[in-house]
Amino acid sequence: MPNDPADSAPRQPAGEPGVPAAPARRVTVQRRGPLLMEGPVEVELEDGTMVRSDRFRVALCTCRRSRRYPWCDTSHRRRADPPR
């Protein structure tokens, strides 16, 4: 089942035995906002294009209003519904 807590159990990393796995990236989900990720990141777009950001924190657009998509330019703030 997706997002099942059992999915977060430690697993044997893929690759060579004895080679430490890369640290997990932290993703912060915000209501009515972008996904904030610790960088650097590479993003594969729908058409297969790869884009990269070397910044230490990256904001990924989730509303598709950004003129710099997939990077957030805070366009969601101008058109977002008022908080409830």
Side-chain angles (χ1 to χ4, degrees):
M1 170 182 259
N3 299 322
D4 189 317
D7 290 341
S8 63
R11 296 183 178 162
Q12 180 68 20
E16 297 180 35
V19 176
R25 296 280 182 207
R26 180 178 303 259
V27 177
T28 305
V29 179
Q30 297 180 345
R31 177 182 270 182
R32 299 177 192 204
L35 287 177
L36 299 177
M37 296 187 66
E38 292 180 1
V41 298
E42 287 184 348
V43 178
E44 182 175 353
L45 302 176
E46 291 173 303
D47 64 0
T49 304
M50 294 293 286
V51 293
R52 179 179 171 90
S53 175
D54 292 321
R55 298 184 70 149
F56 70 94
R57 176 155 293 167
V58 178
L60 294 175
C61 177
T62 58
C63 70
R64 293 190 172 253
R65 294 178 181 145
S66 175
R67 291 184 184 180
R68 299 181 60 226
Y69 186 83
W71 317 120
C72 179
D73 67 2
T74 68
S75 293
H76 61 275
R77 291 182 184 169
R78 292 187 290 276
R79 298 188 210 164
D81 297 334
R84 295 178 187 177

